[in-house]
């Protein structure tokens, strides 16, 4: 029996040595050929046969995978069986001379328990080692690159593929890593890490926050970025955003365009002028939308996330914690009013909106323009509406539908329908006179200011704040129509000089 066992063991050892030398596939093929299961003149079973279709070959490859898995399982079972037999032989040898089964049971139980404890200790030790290795690898990775930018904002940091061809076609810079981004923005890498990390509560805020009163009541929240953040945002504007083509119907914050160019795009004295306002325009543009915009340019989800963190902020309120002021978030990350990059981002994100609305306007006989969140639709004279109330409601209904589908909302309280007999005004510019101009009350106010300033001048010195107010009002009417308001502009300039 011993000789037979040794022979079996020698045969197994020899087989394993040959498998290690030749490789499992080659050894299996050799044995199949030796026993007549596979002809020697045919390609190996791992290659496509002459009479096989590609589909049959793929199916056979899947079967071979399953076959190899079964072989591996059988091999494991044989190893386990060998281990069990070895232990049984050791037990037989150790207890061959005794019939004390209780002692045998206790000894075997004790050995099993010791082996189990040792095995658990080894597994625990291995897991702790793996945990330590993972922790060290993570700490090293965190030190070398940005791996987390805040809860709820880090979802696409794993996406590192960029579309170089798309970026180059738009003239945009190639940015593959966070270090590339720091170089492009002209800031230190550690400052970039600080700028892109979101915290719900902070002691140091990246923005100076204040409210400015609106003309018609209420306040507009302004967040002006501090120095480092402003540098980064301006670089994004110059190097990326300014290279993107914008709709011809947009007139806000663009070189060569203004409220005046927006008004001049409409015909004089239209049959009907409709003014609409987008509600909560900047807060509607969220971190996700800004990130999606950068990703659409061709940047990876990783770089798009970092860029979006720089271009967005969350509204905060100051609270006192242990005699220190802490700024706690009161909103999700949105587009800040006051950032140099925000206006261009709004124009880019509104490109599809502008395209759809201009198409609708053209089809319905209207002219369309948009200045930031102010949209204007003027009806050409030759396109007098029949059943005007019904057609206007239908036209406005389609506008509401398009605006809603593009992720915005109309402020219905600010919608105005202005016919010829009304003063038709677009972003402060009157268009239903022979020449474009400003409202009459504006001119009256300026004339009164000049008159009162001249009286002050006769009695002494004119306060600087009065001069500044007159200077600003004069610059405005000069930009709208310098020729029409030449006389009052000259009077103001004499006073200013």
């Amino acid at each position: 029996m011993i000789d037979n066992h040794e022979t079996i063991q020698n045969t197994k050892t020899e087989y394993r040595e040959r498998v290690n030398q030749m490789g499992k596939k080659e050894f299996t093929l050799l044995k199949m050929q030796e026993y007549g299961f596979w002809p020697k003149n045919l390609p190996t079973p791992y290659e496509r046969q002459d009479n096989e279709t590609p589909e049959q070959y793929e199916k056979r490859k899947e079967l071979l995978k399953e076959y190899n898995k079964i072989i591996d399982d059988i091999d494991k079972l044989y190893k386990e069986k060998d281990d069990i037999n070895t232990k049984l032989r050791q037990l037989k040898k150790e207890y061959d001379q005794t019939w004390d089964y209780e002692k045998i049971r206790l000894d075997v139980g004790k050995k099993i328990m010791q082996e189990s404890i040792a095995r658990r200790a080894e597994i625990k030790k291995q897991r702790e080692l793996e945990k330590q290795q993972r922790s060290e690898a993570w700490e090293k990775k965190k030190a070398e690159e940005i791996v987390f930018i805040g809860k709820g904002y880090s979802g696409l940091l794993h996406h590192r593929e960029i579309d170089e061809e798309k970026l180059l076609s738009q003239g945009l810079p190639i940015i593959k890593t966070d270090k590339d981004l720091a170089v492009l923005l002209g800031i230190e890498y550690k400052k970039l890490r600080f700028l892109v990390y979101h915290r719900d509560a902070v002691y140091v805020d990246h923005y100076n926050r204040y409210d400015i009163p609106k003309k018609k009541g209420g306040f507009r929240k302004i967040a002006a970025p501090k120095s480092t953040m402003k540098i980064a945002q301006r670089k994004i504007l110059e190097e990326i955003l300014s290279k993107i083509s914008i709709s011809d119907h947009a007139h806000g914050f663009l070189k060569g365009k203004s409220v005046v160019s927006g008004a001049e795009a409409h015909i004089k004295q239209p049959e009907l002028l409709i003014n609409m306002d987008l509600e909560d325009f900047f807060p509607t543009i969220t971190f996700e939308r800004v990130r999606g915009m950068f990703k659409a340019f061709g940047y990876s989800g990783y770089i798009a996330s970092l860029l979006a963190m720089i271009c967005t902020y969350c509204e905060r309120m100051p609270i006192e914690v242990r005699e220190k002021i802490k700024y706690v978030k009161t909103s999700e990350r949105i587009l800040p009013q006051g950032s140099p990059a925000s206006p261009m981002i709004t124009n880019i994100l509104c490109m599809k909106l502008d395209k759809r609305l201009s198409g609708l306007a053209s089809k319905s006989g209207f002219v369309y323009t948009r200045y930031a969140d102010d949209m204007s639709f003027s009806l050409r004279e030759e396109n007098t509406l029949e059943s005007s109330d019904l057609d206007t409601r239908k036209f406005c209904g389609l506008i509401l539908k398009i605006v809603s589908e593009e992720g915005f909302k109309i402020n219905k309280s600010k919608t105005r329908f202005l016919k010829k007999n009304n003063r038709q005004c677009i972003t402060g510019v009157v268009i239903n006179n022979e020449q474009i101009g400003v409202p009459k009350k504006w001119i009256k106010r300026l004339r009164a200011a000049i008159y009162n300033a001249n009286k002050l001048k006769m009695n002494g010195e004119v306060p600087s704040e009065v001069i500044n107010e007159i200077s600003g009002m004069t610059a405005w009417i000069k930009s709208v129509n310098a020729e029409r308001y030449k006389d009052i502009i000259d009077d103001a300039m004499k006073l200013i000089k």
Side-chain angles (χ1 to χ4, degrees):
M1 288 293 291
I2 294 173
D3 291 341
N4 185 38
H5 172 70
E6 288 179 355
T7 303
I8 292 171
Q9 285 297 110
N10 291 336
T11 303
K12 287 181 179 178
T13 303
E14 183 184 347
Y15 266 52
R16 282 175 184 151
E17 286 177 356
R18 292 190 67 184
V19 168
N20 291 333
Q21 289 172 359
M22 297 179 64
K24 192 172 181 181
K25 281 186 178 181
E26 289 75 9
F27 180 77
T28 303
L29 177 62
L30 179 66
K31 288 300 172 186
M32 287 171 72
Q33 289 173 339
E34 281 183 10
Y35 298 126
F37 292 114
W38 195 263
K40 292 187 178 182
N41 59 340
L42 285 181
T44 71
Y46 308 101
E47 298 171 335
R48 184 179 166 189
Q49 310 303 308
D50 293 335
N51 60 343
E52 272 187 319
T53 64
E55 292 78 13
Q56 290 172 329
Y57 174 52
E58 289 300 323
K59 188 175 181 181
R60 189 162 57 78
K61 281 203 297 185
E62 291 300 319
L63 290 172
L64 280 170
K65 283 182 186 176
E66 292 181 21
Y67 166 77
N68 285 327
K69 185 176 181 300
I70 292 168
I71 292 296
D72 289 338
D73 292 342
I74 291 172
D75 189 47
K76 287 177 185 175
L77 288 173
Y78 270 113
K79 286 178 181 176
E80 289 174 8
K81 183 182 177 184
D82 287 345
D83 291 340
I84 291 168
N85 286 333
T86 301
K87 285 181 180 179
L88 286 172
R89 283 194 298 274
Q90 288 173 349
L91 288 169
K92 185 175 183 299
K93 191 175 182 181
E94 189 172 347
Y95 298 105
D96 196 32
Q97 303 300 321
T98 181
W99 290 93
D100 189 347
Y101 293 113
E102 185 62 25
K103 180 179 182 302
I104 294 172
R105 187 183 67 77
L106 290 172
D107 285 354
V108 170
K110 188 177 179 181
K111 283 183 181 180
I112 290 172
M113 180 60 72
Q114 288 172 345
E115 288 177 1
S116 177
I117 292 169
R119 188 162 55 250
R120 285 201 299 270
E122 184 61 32
I123 291 171
K124 184 179 179 181
K125 184 180 177 182
Q126 183 63 31
R127 284 177 179 170
E128 287 176 352
L129 178 62
E130 289 172 358
K131 184 179 178 181
Q132 183 183 349
Q133 289 172 343
R134 286 196 302 271
S135 177
E136 289 172 357
W138 179 247
E139 290 299 324
K140 184 181 178 184
K141 189 174 183 180
K142 282 200 296 184
E144 292 175 351
E145 61 180 278
I146 297 168
V147 294
F148 184 71
I149 55 176
K151 188 178 179 181
Y153 303 106
S154 305
L156 291 184
L157 293 185
H158 66 282
H159 182 266
R160 302 298 179 98
E161 293 179 12
I162 68 169
D163 191 335
E164 284 196 40
E165 188 177 338
K166 192 173 184 180
L167 290 169
L168 292 172
S169 69
Q170 299 172 93
L172 299 179
I174 303 299
I175 311 170
K176 294 183 178 179
T177 67
D178 49 2
K179 292 181 176 63
D180 293 342
L181 180 58
V183 171
L184 179 78
L185 301 181
I187 59 176
E188 294 178 20
Y189 179 63
K190 64 179 182 180
K191 286 187 177 179
L192 174 66
R193 295 179 73 108
F194 181 54
L195 291 182
V196 301
Y197 184 60
H198 169 83
R199 304 162 184 82
D200 287 350
V202 296
Y203 286 110
V204 179
D205 195 7
H206 296 308
Y207 292 84
N208 294 310
R209 300 162 190 268
Y210 52 92
D211 296 338
I212 59 172
K214 295 181 181 179
K215 289 182 180 179
K216 297 181 180 179
F219 290 89
R220 190 183 304 278
K221 292 185 179 295
I222 301 297
K226 293 179 181 178
S227 178
T228 304
M229 181 64 84
K230 191 172 184 178
I231 289 170
Q233 291 172 346
R234 192 169 293 282
K235 273 289 185 181
I236 292 172
L237 172 64
E238 293 169 354
E239 300 294 333
I240 299 175
L241 301 174
S242 61
K243 296 178 182 179
I244 303 298
S245 298
I246 303 299
S247 166
D248 292 335
H249 302 278
H251 290 265
F253 322 109
L254 296 168
K255 190 175 181 180
K257 290 190 174 185
S258 64
V259 291
V260 177
S261 67
E264 287 178 335
H266 295 265
I267 60 165
K268 308 297 180 291
Q269 300 179 337
E271 287 290 318
L272 175 66
L273 174 66
I274 305 173
N275 287 330
M276 292 184 172
D277 182 85
L278 295 173
E279 189 173 12
D280 295 330
F281 186 48
F282 279 77
T284 303
I285 298 174
T286 60
F287 167 84
E288 288 76 15
R289 293 181 77 171
V290 177
R291 179 176 63 184
M293 177 194 71
F294 284 113
K295 201 165 182 301
F297 293 165
Y299 290 111
S300 65
Y302 181 69
I303 295 300
S305 298
L306 302 185
L307 289 168
M309 289 299 286
I310 294 172
C311 292
T312 59
Y313 87 127
C314 59
E315 293 177 351
R316 296 181 183 272
M317 65 178 292
I319 60 171
E320 189 173 325
V321 179
R322 295 175 184 174
E323 299 182 351
K324 286 186 178 181
I325 298 298
K326 206 167 189 178
Y327 300 92
V328 180
K329 81 161 192 171
T330 57
S331 76
E332 296 304 319
R333 292 190 75 89
I334 54 176
L335 208 59
Q337 296 190 56
S339 162
S342 292
M344 188 59 72
I345 290 173
T346 64
N347 281 331
I348 293 169
L349 289 175
C350 284
M351 282 173 64
K352 190 177 176 185
L353 174 71
D354 290 338
K355 184 178 179 181
R356 293 183 69 185
L357 289 179
S358 63
L360 172 66
S362 178
K363 187 178 178 181
S364 305
F366 281 82
V367 175
Y368 162 74
T369 61
R370 180 183 58 79
Y371 186 92
D373 55 352
D374 293 318
M375 303 185 301
S376 298
F377 302 84
S378 63
L379 182 65
R380 299 187 184 96
E381 282 189 73
E382 64 270 20
N383 291 289
T384 304
L385 284 175
E386 296 178 9
S387 305
S388 59
D389 290 341
L390 180 62
D391 285 354
T392 303
R393 280 202 300 271
K394 183 179 178 183
F395 179 67
C396 291
L398 290 171
I399 292 172
L400 289 171
K401 183 175 182 290
I402 290 171
V403 168
S404 176
E405 287 174 353
E406 294 304 320
F408 297 99
K409 187 179 178 183
I410 295 290
N411 187 341
K412 293 181 181 179
S413 66
K414 292 187 178 181
T415 299
R416 298 287 181 270
F417 297 88
L418 305 168
K419 295 187 177 180
K420 273 187 174 182
N421 58 332
N422 303 121
R423 186 188 69 192
Q424 295 176 318
C425 198
I426 297 175
T427 54
V429 179
V430 179
I431 65 167
N432 62 334
N433 291 326
E434 291 182 4
Q435 301 179 56
I436 64 169
V438 297
K440 288 179 181 179
K441 67 177 181 180
W442 183 278
I443 299 300
K444 285 181 180 179
R445 183 181 160 197
L446 179 56
R447 286 192 190 282
I450 293 171
Y451 175 79
N452 292 330
N454 280 324
K455 284 180 69 175
L456 289 171
K457 187 177 179 182
M458 289 171 63
N459 298 325
E461 191 174 341
V462 184
S464 60
E465 58 268 22
V466 174
I467 293 294
N468 290 338
E469 182 185 8
I470 292 171
S471 179
M473 293 176 74
T474 304
W476 165 238
I477 64 170
K478 190 175 181 180
S479 68
V480 174
N481 196 329
E483 186 178 346
R484 180 178 178 181
Y485 301 112
K486 184 178 183 303
D487 292 342
I488 192 171
I489 290 170
D490 289 343
D491 292 342
M493 293 308 293
K494 286 175 186 176
L495 178 67
I496 293 165
K497 289 179 180 178

